[in-house]
C-alpha cells in the first residue's frame, strides 16, 4: 500500500470517528433536554420508593459525564438522601 492510499484510509477512519463523536454529543444534548423536566417533577414529589430513586440515578449515570446531567444526578441525591 502506498502512502497516498494510507493517508486516504486514515482520513476516512478519522472522518468516521468524528461522525460518531458528533452523534454522541447530540445524544447527550437530547438526554439533558429530556431528563430536565423528568428530574424536576421527580424531585418535587419529595417521596419515592428506594427502587424508583435507584432507577432514576441509574438512568442519569449513563450520561454523568455531561455537567447538566451530573447536576441533575446531584439534585436527586440531595432531594432523597440528604434532606
Amino acid at each position: 500500500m502506498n502512502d497516498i492510499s494510507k493517508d486516504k484510509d486514515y482520513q476516512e477512519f478519522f472522518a468516521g470517528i468524528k461522525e460518531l463523536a458528533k452523534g454522541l454529543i447530540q445524544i447527550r444534548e437530547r438526554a439533558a433536554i429530556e431528563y430536565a423536566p423528568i428530574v424536576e417533577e421527580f424531585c418535587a414529589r419529595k417521596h419515592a420508593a428506594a427502587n424508583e430513586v435507584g432507577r432514576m440515578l441509574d438512568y442519569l449515570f449513563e450520561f454523568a459525564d455531561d455537567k447538566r446531567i451530573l447536576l441533575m444526578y446531584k439534585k436527586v441525591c440531595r432531594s432523597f438522601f440528604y434532606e
Side-chain angles (χ1 to χ4, degrees), residues 12-50:
E12 289 174 2
F13 175 74
F14 287 121
I17 296 292
K18 216 173 175 179
E19 287 302 311
L20 286 172
K22 285 179 185 177
L24 289 173
I25 290 168
Q26 290 173 344
I27 289 170
R28 280 193 192 100
E29 183 66 31
R30 183 68 181 193
I33 291 167
E34 294 291 328
Y35 278 119
I38 294 169
V39 168
E40 287 299 320
E41 182 181 321
F42 188 73
C43 291
R45 292 177 18 195
K46 292 294 182 187
H47 298 286

Side-chain angles (χ1 to χ4, degrees), residues 32 35-36 39 60 68-77:
Y35 278 119
V39 168
L60 293 171
R68 297 165 295 179
I69 299 288
L70 184 57
L71 289 173
M72 290 180 223
Y73 190 95
K74 289 178 177 180
K75 182 174 186 156
V76 171
C77 288

